[in-house]
């Protein structure tokens, strides 16, 4: 009888364990979709840590990445960490996960088993993610193509039950997926940044051929950044808008110089070709997935606030905010630059003209920001 009860209990325990494994595996599959859909590296790393911590019921967690060639780790993301812990750096040998880096396998570090952990705990200035109350650390290497790119560490406090073997197995499975997602996102960002530099260089070369447009896109980008800051936009939006501003006329690359540099009025057919440039720009940028946001702003930088612009005739707030900002900076810089058919306008005269265009071609709110910025500028 005693044996039968014991077997039943064991069976129940096994069923429970399998159930928890099943639900954890289901969550693993769910999170794979999230990993595939995120191009934002910081968001991706935060999702990885919080998911890993929740998966194995840890109290805290953090993710460190290792810089190539350097023996230094950088805390990229954290879950329930103290303030300022994220973004700190420290030498690899001072990390609780140093052993896992060496072996390439998951390692559980426990304060009760490892006297040496004290040196990590006490040297808070070097290793902020760790507290004295932390008791057990499951360190799982993030490996791609045989290389360890970083470490996923989840942490339990003194009163918690230790990490079971199944947790370590789950973390290892998850870390495999997470490492691929991190590497892919890094590669995509690299591709996007190289593409951006190539396009920006081509634009500079295009503008340099014409003394009237030399440096135009870079000046528009600087002005866009100032307007964005005046409007109090979040940093990631500013980055996208500034990048799009540098590339806004990329579609002009394919337009013949005879049209591009013509000093007289364009014939209808030539004007039609010029009006194509936002769409040509989109086609060039859309091929790179991480430039899609910028492509959208490039597409709409000639829309008018009243709906009479091109290519889609969008109006008001239907025009993406970044495109409305680029439109204002683009118009203002064109006015204060020499053109083949007229001399540059003074900043004051250009500002008066911009005011006339407010609510017709340009967003009145952004025009106000430009006016406010200009009122702080020395008058020319
Ligand atoms: Fe343009």
């Amino acid at each position: 009888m005693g044996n039968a009860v014991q077997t039943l209990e064991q069976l129940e325990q096994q069923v429970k364990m399998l159930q928890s494994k099943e639900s954890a595996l289901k969550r693993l599959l769910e999170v794979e979709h999230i990993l595939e859909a995120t191009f934002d590296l910081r968001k991706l790393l935060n999702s990885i840590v919080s998911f890993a911590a929740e998966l194995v019921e840890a109290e805290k967690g953090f993710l460190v990445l290792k810089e190539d060639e350097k023996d230094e780790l950088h805390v990229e993301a954290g879950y329930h960490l103290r303030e300022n812990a994220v973004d700190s750096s420290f030498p690899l040998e001072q990390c609780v996960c140093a052993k896992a880096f060496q072996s390439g396998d998951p390692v559980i570090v426990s304060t009760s088993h490892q006297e040496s952990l004290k040196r990590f705990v006490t040297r808070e200035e070097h290793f902020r993610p760790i507290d004295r109350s932390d008791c057990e650390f499951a360190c799982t290497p993030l490996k791609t193509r045989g290389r360890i790119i970083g470490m996923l560490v989840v942490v339990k406090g003194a009163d918690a039950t230790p990490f079971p073997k199944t947790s370590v197995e789950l973390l290892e499975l998850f870390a495999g997926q997470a490492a691929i997602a991190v590497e892919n996102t890094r590669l995509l960002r690299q591709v996007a940044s190289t593409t951006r530099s190539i396009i920006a260089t081509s634009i500079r070369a295009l503008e340099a051929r014409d003394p009237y447009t030399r440096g135009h896109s870079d000046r528009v980008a600087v002005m866009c950044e100032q307007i964005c800051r005046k409007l109090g936009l979040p940093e990631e939006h500013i980055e996208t808008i500034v990048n799009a501003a540098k590339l806004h006329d990329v579609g002009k690359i394919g337009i013949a110089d005879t049209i591009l540099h013509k000093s007289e009025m364009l014939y209808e057919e030539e004007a039609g070709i010029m009006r194509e440039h936002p769409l040509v720009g989109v086609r060039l940028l859309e091929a790179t997935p991480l430039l899609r946001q910028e492509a959208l702003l490039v597409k709409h930088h000639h829309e008018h606030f009243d709906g009479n612009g091109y290519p889609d005739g969008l109006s008001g707030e239907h025009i993406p905010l970044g495109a409305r900002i680029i439109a204002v900076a683009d118009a203002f810089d064109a006015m204060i630059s020499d053109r083949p058919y007229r001399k540059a306008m003074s900043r004051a005269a250009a500002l008066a003209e911009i005011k006339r265009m407010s609510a017709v071609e340009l967003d009145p709110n952004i025009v106000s920001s430009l006016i406010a910025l200009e009122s702080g500028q020395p008058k020319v």
Side-chain angles (χ1 to χ4, degrees):
M1 186 66 185
N3 266 353
V5 171
Q6 210 177 11
T7 316
L8 196 65
E9 271 176 7
Q10 276 173 353
L11 210 64
E12 273 175 352
Q13 250 179 8
Q14 272 181 356
V15 168
K16 257 190 187 166
M17 201 183 80
L18 282 172
Q19 277 171 342
S20 75
K21 243 187 172 178
E22 195 193 331
S23 77
L25 281 172
K26 269 188 193 154
R27 288 214 61 195
L28 263 185
L29 289 175
E30 273 167 38
V31 91
E32 267 179 40
H33 291 294
I34 302 169
L35 297 187
E36 277 167 19
T38 312
F39 290 135
D40 181 328
L41 189 60
R42 193 40 76 91
K43 257 192 209 158
L44 175 74
L45 299 175
N46 276 323
S47 318
I48 290 172
V49 181
S50 53
F51 178 79
E54 283 166 16
L55 186 69
V56 297
E57 292 171 3
E59 285 165 26
K60 296 198 282 190
F62 58 92
L63 189 151
V64 287
L65 289 182
K66 183 177 170 293
E67 299 243 339
D68 282 342
E69 321 283 322
K70 272 195 202 164
D71 274 339
E72 198 165 87
L73 301 177
H74 189 250
V75 185
E76 302 279 347
Y79 173 77
H80 291 172
L81 286 193
R82 75 176 79 153
E83 223 184 315
N84 301 328
V86 176
D87 270 342
S88 58
S89 292
F90 48 86
L92 192 152
E93 86 255 12
Q94 284 176 9
C95 180
V96 67
C97 59
K99 212 169 155 194
F101 257 104
Q102 256 170 21
S103 68
D105 292 318
V107 171
I108 299 256
V109 180
S110 169
T111 45
S112 50
H113 298 142
Q114 248 199 27
E115 188 60 22
S116 62
L117 186 72
K118 277 181 190 156
R119 76 189 172 102
F120 304 124
V121 180
T122 49
R123 296 175 76 161
E124 282 175 331
E125 72 280 14
H126 292 305
F127 194 42
R128 293 177 172 184
I130 287 185
D131 282 322
R132 278 168 199 281
S133 57
D134 295 334
C135 190
E136 197 170 68
F137 304 81
C139 311
T140 316
L142 295 167
K143 282 191 278 193
T144 60
R145 292 176 290 169
R147 209 164 47 88
I148 304 179
I149 57 167
M151 195 69 62
L152 179 60
V153 183
V154 288
V155 188
K156 282 197 176 192
D159 303 328
T161 49
F163 288 111
K165 198 167 162 265
T166 48
S167 293
V168 179
E169 286 168 3
L170 274 173
L171 283 171
E172 204 177 2
L173 262 178
F174 176 59
Q177 291 299 320
I180 293 169
V182 171
E183 191 72 344
N184 285 348
T185 308
R186 273 175 159 184
L187 287 173
L188 279 173
R189 281 163 68 96
Q190 244 171 42
V191 170
S193 138
T194 311
T195 310
R196 246 187 237 119
S197 323
I198 293 170
I199 294 176
T201 310
S202 314
I203 291 172
R204 271 181 215 123
L206 174 87
E207 290 177 349
R209 293 211 307 264
D210 175 8
Y212 299 105
T213 54
R214 197 168 290 153
H216 167 71
S217 297
D218 284 340
R219 288 194 301 274
V220 170
V222 170
M223 210 178 291
C224 280
E225 184 173 357
Q226 291 168 340
I227 296 172
C228 287
R229 300 211 179 277
K230 193 87 194 159
L231 291 168
L233 299 186
E235 216 49 51
E236 70 258 35
H237 289 197
I238 298 179
E239 197 187 334
T240 306
I241 295 166
V242 170
N243 283 333
K246 283 182 194 159
L247 315 178
H248 75 277
D249 274 341
V250 55
K252 285 186 180 170
I253 283 176
I255 298 177
D257 281 3
T258 44
I259 301 178
L260 216 51
H261 303 159
K262 195 171 171 180
S263 51
E264 306 92 50
M265 271 271 281
L266 295 176
Y267 291 123
E268 189 45 42
E269 199 190 334
E270 294 169 330
I273 293 172
M274 275 294 260
R275 277 200 296 271
E276 285 283 302
H277 80 271
L279 289 174
V280 176
V282 170
R283 283 199 287 277
L284 280 167
L285 298 175
E286 260 184 352
T288 308
L290 280 190
L291 299 181
R292 293 216 176 116
Q293 277 299 103
E294 287 150 54
L296 188 75
L297 306 188
V298 167
K299 181 180 180 184
H300 294 296
H301 77 276
H302 281 293
E303 303 285 1
H304 288 179
F305 200 72
D306 64 3
N308 287 322
Y310 59 92
D312 289 349
L314 299 182
S315 64
E317 299 201 344
H318 294 292
I319 308 167
L321 175 64
R324 281 178 270 150
I325 294 173
I326 295 171
V328 171
D330 190 16
F332 189 63
D333 185 72
M335 287 175 199
I336 58 173
S337 310
D338 282 331
R339 282 290 185 259
Y341 42 88
R342 59 151 174 79
K343 291 295 284 175
M345 295 164 82
S346 69
R347 293 183 94 92
L351 213 55
E353 185 60 26
I354 290 282
K355 274 186 208 165
R356 268 195 290 280
M357 292 161 76
S358 181
V360 185
E361 285 189 33
L362 304 173
D363 180 335
N365 191 28
I366 298 164
V367 168
S368 303
S369 299
L370 179 72
I371 294 167
L373 278 168
E374 281 298 306
S375 62
Q377 298 272 348
K379 300 275 174 288
V380 181

